[in-house]
Amino acid sequence: MHDLLLLLFIFTLAAFLGFELIAKVPSQLHTPLMSGSNAISGITIVGAIVAILDNPVGSVAFLIGIGAMILAAVNVVGGYLVTDRMLGMFKKKDKPAPKA
Amino acid sequence: MEVIINLSYIAASILFIFGIKMLGKADTAKRGNLVSAWGMGLAIVVTCIHPAFADKILWIVLAFAIGGAIGAVAAKKVPMTGMPEMVALFNGVGGLSSVLVGWAEYVRLAKPYWDQARFNEQTDTALLPPLDLLPPLSGFTMAVIFLAVFIGAVTFTGSIYAWGKLSGKLGGAAKTFPAQKACNALLLAVTVLCGVLFPLMPEGEVGLLLLTGATLGALLLGIFGVMPIGGGDMPVVISLLNSLSGLAAAAAGFVIVNNVLIVAGCLVGCSGLILTVIMCKAMNRTLTNVLFSGFGSTQSSQQVEGEMKALSVEDAYYVLESARNVVFVPGYGMAVAQAQHVVKELAELLEENGAEVRFAIHPVAGRMPGHMNVLLAEADVPYEQLCEMDAVNPTMEMVDVAIVIGANDVVNPAAGEDPSSPIYGMPIINVHHARTVFALKRGKGAGFSGLVNTLFFRENTRMIYGDAKATIAGLVGQFKEK
């Protein structure tokens, strides 16, 4: 019970923090913000690792964990790379960007 | 060891917080993404501090390599025009991953009960300790497993369906069928009922059936939830699904009692919600209205007067040649035609010709938040030229030519004039106040939302039919010749 209360406490504070973090985002950053935060939601990968480590090799839970790990890795690696690629395109006028 | 792991999780959370904050500002965004990637790396590495890690290192590295390779190739290969689909797909796999994390934990916890039951079947139970010697499964843990599975599954199929709509595989328009709302309500009721009963009797076959039912119900809900939403509302849907994938991760954090999942997931969930609200405001609609109204399947009752007047590329060139103030208004059609590069070329020629050139970007133009900005950035349009709707509208009377490239609803004057129109009240870019409007369109049909656009019938509007890319390239050619 004590644990649960602590988790809820953290969750509530994080929620308020999330609302406060991005107040005014210029519209040109909407896409990168979205795909960047999408990459962060790949934090589920930690849960996948725990499932792999906590279960004996070959057990059903272990195999589900492997599946979760593969999917989360797609989300994490792809999300960060695509965001970085996008942000690399936002250039000011005085610095001409190389043609993509 | 426990202390080191948890301190590292706190550090990772701080990196995520700074990362998201920096992503919100133009000059720090790229670094912000990197900072949050470091946070992710840290969280992954310390999670591997575990007695079983040495035996399973190969499994973990292999799984990560497979997923990472798929993600990396997709991220490198995707054209900027395909960005909305890509974001939707990544979102979907993240959601499904949360579903699996919930399931893995459930199977791990429930397995002793299944083994015990099977053992009892095979032997004389009178000689054995009865089942109730195993402590009952924690109701709370089961409830959050249901939540993680539910939110994750809705996110998964919702994102996949959105991906299908965005990539044109499923048709863009809103799909409605009779009694759809009743159907969805029933589906939701059954799913929630499974979710309520599941923590009460998680052990044994009943629990397995309930969680399976809840999973299937949630998967269907994701599909049926996105089905009635029209293409023009996709920016809202995409950002909402993004928010949900964060909440699914946070729920998975409650399942395995892990702070870093809760903090990171919750940050994403709430910042995604803010973005969703911004999108809704840009359409002057509530989130409920977007989600449940089956938008785009209705039609305005107003009759349109006037006719569409076509114009040739050559005549358009003469008008542009003498224009001193030009505004481009891009929409989804520019993305489809991949016209951003020629548009940039035309903009440069117009500037050389002495005109002032701007791009007016509607917050919900395209199929995801910020879609047009990404495309124009790819074509190297300097972002000083990109203006938000509120900055452009007051100056619209001074604009000689407004060139609408594949935008439709976001320039439809009916939004301001026709109370019976489904988009009534949505703030639009007032191109109809410009002296002349060129509307580039493929054919005479209605746009993505299926609405008739009264702009096309106005006195000062000229339609230039054909592929937007070919049309603009034709104009560029005219400028170069003369």
Side-chain angles (χ1 to χ4, degrees):
Chain A
M1 198 63 212
H2 181 75
D3 255 359
L4 153 68
L5 285 175
L6 210 58
L7 294 181
L8 277 176
F9 197 73
I10 291 167
F11 179 83
T12 314
L13 289 181
F16 277 94
L17 188 59
F19 279 122
E20 293 300 319
L21 269 184
I22 57 159
K24 291 190 92 155
V25 182
S27 62
Q28 63 155 354
L29 287 175
H30 282 168
T31 305
L33 177 72
M34 199 174 58
S35 75
S37 61
N38 185 359
I40 295 177
S41 72
I43 191 71
T44 307
I45 197 164
V46 166
I49 295 173
V50 169
I52 293 173
L53 292 175
D54 278 352
N55 292 291
V57 174
S59 64
V60 176
F62 172 86
L63 294 174
I64 298 176
I66 293 278
M69 178 92 192
I70 293 174
L71 291 168
V74 172
N75 192 193
V76 169
V77 176
Y80 280 119
L81 285 178
V82 99
T83 309
D84 188 67
R85 197 182 132 199
M86 229 178 323
L87 288 168
M89 292 179 182
F90 291 120
K91 293 280 194 307
K92 284 212 157 138
K93 203 165 187 170
D94 49 8
K95 288 184 289 188
K99 275 271 175 275
Chain B
M1 216 64 248
E2 199 62 28
V3 176
I4 291 181
I5 292 174
N6 276 301
L7 284 176
S8 307
Y9 281 161
I10 293 176
S13 304
I14 293 172
L15 290 171
F16 287 139
I17 291 166
F18 272 105
I20 292 185
K21 193 163 176 54
M22 289 158 87
L23 270 174
K25 290 200 180 61
D27 40 8
T28 57
K30 209 168 154 71
R31 256 179 307 147
N33 189 44
L34 205 63
V35 166
S36 102
W38 277 106
M40 184 64 74
L42 178 64
I44 291 173
V45 168
V46 297
T47 307
C48 291
I49 302 176
H50 189 285
F53 179 67
D55 304 331
K56 296 180 178 167
I57 182 163
L58 269 178
W59 289 104
I60 289 181
V61 170
L62 187 68
F64 186 82
I66 294 172
I70 296 170
V73 169
K76 282 269 175 281
K77 284 238 186 284
V78 62
M80 283 298 132
T81 40
M83 204 44 91
E85 295 95 297
M86 194 82 259
V87 173
L89 266 185
F90 283 157
N91 224 342
V93 292
L96 186 58
S97 175
S98 294
V99 174
L100 295 183
V101 167
W103 264 99
E105 188 65 5
Y106 169 66
V107 171
R108 184 179 78 89
L109 293 173
K111 195 168 180 305
Y113 297 85
W114 302 338
D115 292 349
Q116 175 87 63
R118 198 173 311 131
F119 187 68
N120 288 356
E121 274 171 27
Q122 288 162 355
T123 48
D124 188 358
T125 45
L127 305 171
L128 285 162
L131 247 184
D132 55 12
L133 280 194
L134 282 168
L137 289 169
S138 144
F140 169 74
T141 305
M142 295 303 130
V144 289
I145 284 177
F146 163 72
L147 274 182
V149 165
F150 177 77
I151 303 172
V154 168
T155 307
F156 171 61
T157 47
S159 298
I160 297 297
Y161 196 90
W163 167 78
K165 271 194 176 187
L166 292 167
S167 55
K169 290 183 174 58
L170 291 168
K175 285 197 175 65
T176 46
F177 51 86
Q180 189 169 26
K181 281 195 178 117
C183 251
N184 288 356
L186 184 69
L187 195 56
L188 182 66
V190 171
T191 310
V192 169
L193 186 69
C194 287
V196 171
L197 292 177
F198 172 64
L200 300 175
M201 32 186 166
E203 301 92 359
E205 284 170 6
V206 180
L208 185 60
L209 268 175
L210 285 171
L211 190 58
T212 308
T215 309
L216 291 176
L219 289 170
L220 287 174
L221 269 177
I223 294 172
F224 287 126
V226 177
M227 199 181 274
I229 299 172
D233 293 342
M234 270 301 150
V236 176
V237 178
I238 297 280
S239 49
L240 183 66
L241 287 168
N242 188 38
S243 163
L244 282 179
S245 71
L247 290 178
F254 277 100
V255 172
I256 58 167
V257 190
N258 186 310
N259 287 336
V260 78
L261 257 78
I262 293 177
V263 173
C266 192
L267 287 176
V268 173
C270 295
S271 60
L273 214 50
I274 297 262
L275 201 56
T276 313
V277 169
I278 292 175
M279 292 296 119
C280 285
K281 277 204 178 123
M283 300 204 285
N284 189 35
R285 294 168 55 202
T286 60
L287 188 56
T288 6
N289 176 284
V290 171
L291 293 179
F292 303 113
S293 68
F295 178 82
S297 49
T298 50
Q299 268 298 350
S300 150
S301 57
Q302 211 180 44
Q303 285 301 313
V304 188
E305 289 167 12
E307 53 173 341
M308 297 199 201
K309 295 170 286 293
L311 189 73
S312 72
V313 171
E314 194 166 357
D315 291 339
Y317 160 73
Y318 289 118
V319 177
L320 276 179
E321 213 264 330
S322 58
R324 287 289 144 264
N325 188 332
V326 180
V327 167
F328 287 94
V329 184
Y332 184 56
M334 185 181 81
V336 175
Q338 308 234 357
Q340 64 272 28
H341 295 283
V342 275
V343 167
K344 149 92 166 86
E345 210 176 337
L346 179 60
E348 277 181 339
L349 289 166
L350 285 166
E351 277 191 309
E352 281 166 27
N353 195 30
E356 185 200 344
V357 179
R358 288 172 302 162
F359 289 81
I361 315 270
H362 193 282
V364 292
R367 293 290 165 259
M368 69 174 170
H371 192 176
M372 293 301 123
N373 300 82
V374 174
L375 287 184
L376 292 167
E378 187 206 17
D380 283 346
V381 173
Y383 61 72
E384 295 85 346
Q385 281 188 348
L386 309 182
C387 308
E388 307 211 353
M389 173 174 62
D390 299 334
V392 171
N393 274 343
T395 65
M396 205 44 100
E397 273 88 0
M398 336 256 270
V399 173
D400 297 317
V401 185
I403 307 177
V404 178
I405 308 169
N408 195 340
D409 292 342
V410 297
V411 291
N412 189 345
E417 297 161 357
D418 174 12
S420 71
S421 169
I423 57 167
Y424 182 67
M426 165 172 157
I428 56 158
I429 296 177
N430 296 320
V431 288
H432 54 288
H433 291 170
R435 289 198 184 94
T436 311
V437 179
F438 289 166
L440 274 55
K441 228 167 133 341
R442 216 176 301 190
K444 298 192 180 189
F448 202 82
S449 71
L451 288 179
V452 173
N453 191 338
T454 56
L455 174 75
F456 302 153
F457 299 87
R458 288 188 173 243
E459 202 46 49
N460 57 343
T461 304
R462 293 291 176 276
M463 307 300 294
I464 308 177
Y465 293 115
D467 174 70
K469 192 174 178 177
T471 304
I472 302 271
L475 286 168
V476 168
Q478 296 270 0
F479 266 99
K480 284 188 170 162
E481 271 171 42
K482 319 246 151 124

